[in-house]
Amino acid sequence: MKKVLITGASGLLGRAVMQEFESDASWTVLGLAFSRAGSKLRKVDITDPQAVKSLILEFKPALVIHSAAERRPDVVEKQGEATQKLNVTATQSLCQETAAVGGSVIYISTDYVFDGKNPPYKESASPSPLNAYGKSKYEGEKVTLAEGKTNCVLRVPILYGDVERVDESAVTVLFSKVKNVDETCIMSDYERRYPTHCKDIASVLKQLADKKIQGADIAGVYHWSGDEMMTKYDMAVAMAKAFSLSPDHIQADKTPSGGATRPYDAHLDLSRVEELGICSRSKFSEEIKPVLEKFFP
C-alpha cells in the first residue's frame, strides 16, 4: 500500500487533499491536525521534533504533503517566533525524519514569495518576498529542498473551497459584506489575485504523487494557480452576481491594502506542471456559489 501523510489536514486545503487521496483505495492516508483533530485525524504537534520522529517511524510514509502553516500575513507580522517554529523549524524536522524512512515531502508554499513586480513568475524565478509570511515560506522552501533531493515545493495563490466558516478563506470572508446589500462596503481593487479552488490543488497534488510513486522524476519547484485575474473587488462583485444580488453597495478601493505589504501581481507560470499533462482548473463564477450557498441568506 502507498502511504501518504497529510499535515494540516483539518484546514481548508488539507481537507480537500484528504478527500482526494481517500477516493483512491490504493493509497493509505493519515491526516494530522492539532487544535481541530477530532476523531478522524491524528492529533500531533508537529513543532515537537520527538512527536514527529515517533509518528514517521510508526507510519513510514512514502509521501508527506505538508500543508500545515501559519498563512495569515497580518498574524505573521505579530507572531514571528511562533511562525518560524511552525513554517520553518517544523518543516525541517518533518523533512529529515521522512528522508530517514525513504520518503519524500511536498511542501505547500505561496505566490507571496515573489514581490509582484515582474509576473508571470517561472518556477526558476528568484523569490523576493515583501512580508514576513512570504519570507517564512521561502525559508521553508529552502529547508525542504535542502533536506531531500526528491522533495518538492508547490506554490499556490489565494485559496477558496468548501469552507466550514465563511471566514476560513481570505476569499469567502468577503461574502459577509457582499450579502449585506443595505450597507456600503469597500473592497480592495488594487492587488491582482488568482483565486484557486482547493479541489484543483488537491487534484494536482494527487497526480504529482501518482507520477512520483510510479517512478517519474518529480522534484523541485512547481506552481499551480487559477487563471482568472481578479482583485478582491472583482471577487466580491462576482459573488453578488452569483446570488443575483445588486453589487451597487460594493465600492472599489484603488489604493494598496493595509497591513502586511502584499505583492501587486504575483501571477505564477505553470509550465512544469502543464508539461506533465496535469490540468485541473475551476471557473470562479461557477464554483463560488456552491461554496457559499450554506451561508446565504
Side-chain angles (χ1 to χ4, degrees), residues 92-136:
Q92 184 170 30
S93 174
L94 191 64
C95 289
Q96 289 174 342
E97 300 303 338
T98 301
V101 299
S104 299
V105 175
I106 300 180
Y107 173 78
I108 306 301
S109 191
T110 172
D111 59 352
Y112 275 24
V113 299
F114 297 115
D115 59 17
K117 297 176 182 178
N118 296 289
Y121 290 93
K122 290 186 175 295
E123 296 85 351
S124 58
S126 297
S128 181
L130 297 177
N131 57 41
Y133 167 62
K135 291 174 183 176
S136 75

Side-chain angles (χ1 to χ4, degrees), residues 20 42 76 78 99 118 134 141 183 192 234 250 267 270 276:
E20 184 72 21
R42 179 82 69 90
V76 172
K78 301 173 183 177
N118 296 289
E141 288 186 9
E183 187 170 331
R192 298 181 173 190
D234 295 326
I250 306 171
H267 190 200
L270 314 183
L276 294 168

